[in-house]
Amino acid sequence: AQSVTQLDSHVSVSEGTPVLLRCNYSSSYSPSLFWYVQHPNKGLQLLLKYTSAATLVKGINGFEAEFKKSETSFHLTKPSAHMSDAAEYFCVAYNNNDMRFGAGTRLTVKP
Amino acid sequence: KAGVTQTPRYLIKTRGQQVTLSCSPISGHRSVSWYQQTPGQGLQFLFEYFSETQRNKGNFPGRFSGRQFSNSRSEMNVSTLELGDSALYLCASSLVAGAPTGELFFGEGSRLTVL
């Protein structure tokens, strides 16, 4: 069975500073990997996805993630945080009809 | 283009009752999947329907069931409600089955409180 571990339950950054949200996965096979964002009282929105093409994936709103098979990681980054980035972020792995969500990382952006 | 619509947005039930939640997917999307979100267990996959057929099911008891209609609208039902069923239930639609091969579009959820 596969699993997803988001290494930080809460990350706090100042506006304009870089963002790093960490995700590790465990799977017998190379899964498809996704990052979704959830703003308060809203559904999830896809930020980006990795499906065995380029290992560096660019998403919406300036986010990107790099798939590192040797480290089984798929960390999400953004060079400069905006106040509007404050939300919950979920790393998701999918393989062979099995979909697993990470526990989520709450990002706080301080002015 | 209208997004995924879930109704009702909020509801309160008591233990032992049953509840039906509705999801209208984006026009043209034939796959609908359901998820339960709780503070303790996080996000968990419930089931996925494609063309009126359940394609995949998560690890939930038989009290949780669903169906999809010919217009792709979907309903999920929870019978004999328990306190632990209190959660935000999210629905997502996509163009194709095996949803993560394509993008999932989520509704805003139905928040169920069981007293």
Side-chain angles (χ1 to χ4, degrees):
Chain A
Q2 61 180 355
S3 64
V4 177
T5 303
Q6 291 185 242
L7 298 167
D8 306 291
S9 60
H10 185 212
V11 170
S12 181
V13 301
S14 297
E15 191 174 20
T17 64
V19 175
L20 170 64
L21 305 182
R22 299 182 294 168
C23 173
N24 283 84
Y25 70 93
S26 171
S27 177
S28 300
Y29 305 94
S30 290
S32 297
L33 296 164
F34 306 80
W35 276 99
Y36 279 84
V37 61
Q38 185 179 32
H39 291 275
N41 298 315
K42 299 290 186 181
L44 280 69
Q45 179 186 17
L46 179 68
L47 281 176
L48 48 82
K49 62 181 178 181
Y50 166 77
T51 53
S52 74
T55 57
L56 182 62
V57 182
K58 293 188 184 300
I60 62 172
N61 300 335
F63 285 94
E64 62 181 39
E66 186 172 8
F67 173 71
K68 292 186 177 180
K69 187 173 182 178
S70 60
E71 300 176 8
T72 61
S73 69
F74 190 58
H75 301 335
L76 181 70
T77 61
K78 183 174 180 177
S80 176
H82 294 160
M83 296 297 291
S84 60
D85 294 329
E88 186 98 16
Y89 291 79
F90 293 92
C91 182
V92 183
Y94 178 84
N95 183 55
N96 195 28
N97 283 332
D98 183 19
M99 186 174 194
R100 299 296 173 113
F101 290 83
T105 298
R106 180 163 299 278
L107 176 65
T108 301
V109 182
K110 298 175 289 186
Chain B
K1 202 179 211 181
V4 177
T5 303
Q6 291 188 246
T7 57
R9 290 292 314 279
Y10 302 90
L11 66 166
I12 300 173
K13 294 285 187 178
T14 57
R15 279 179 299 176
Q17 288 187 311
Q18 71 157 11
V19 66
T20 299
L21 309 178
S22 178
C23 173
S24 293
I26 291 173
S27 177
H29 286 193
R30 294 168 62 190
S31 174
V32 173
S33 50
W34 289 88
Y35 306 83
Q36 182 195 64
Q37 186 176 25
T38 61
Q41 299 297 318
L43 270 161
Q44 295 181 282
F45 170 74
L46 279 158
F47 28 66
E48 180 192 8
Y49 287 85
F50 181 80
S51 294
E52 301 178 65
T53 301
Q54 187 179 88
R55 187 180 177 279
N56 197 10
K57 189 177 191 301
N59 188 27
F60 277 81
R63 300 185 297 107
F64 291 80
S65 63
R67 58 179 175 168
Q68 186 180 34
F69 302 95
S70 58
N71 62 357
S72 294
R73 189 178 71 85
S74 177
E75 290 181 346
M76 68 162 283
N77 184 79
V78 187
S79 62
T80 320
L81 283 166
E82 301 177 359
L83 294 179
D85 297 333
S86 294
L88 180 67
Y89 289 89
L90 291 166
C91 164
S93 76
S94 66
L95 275 170
V96 297
T101 57
E103 180 176 348
L104 286 174
F105 293 83
F106 283 82
E108 296 189 335
S110 293
R111 184 167 295 281
L112 170 65
T113 301
V114 182
L115 303 176

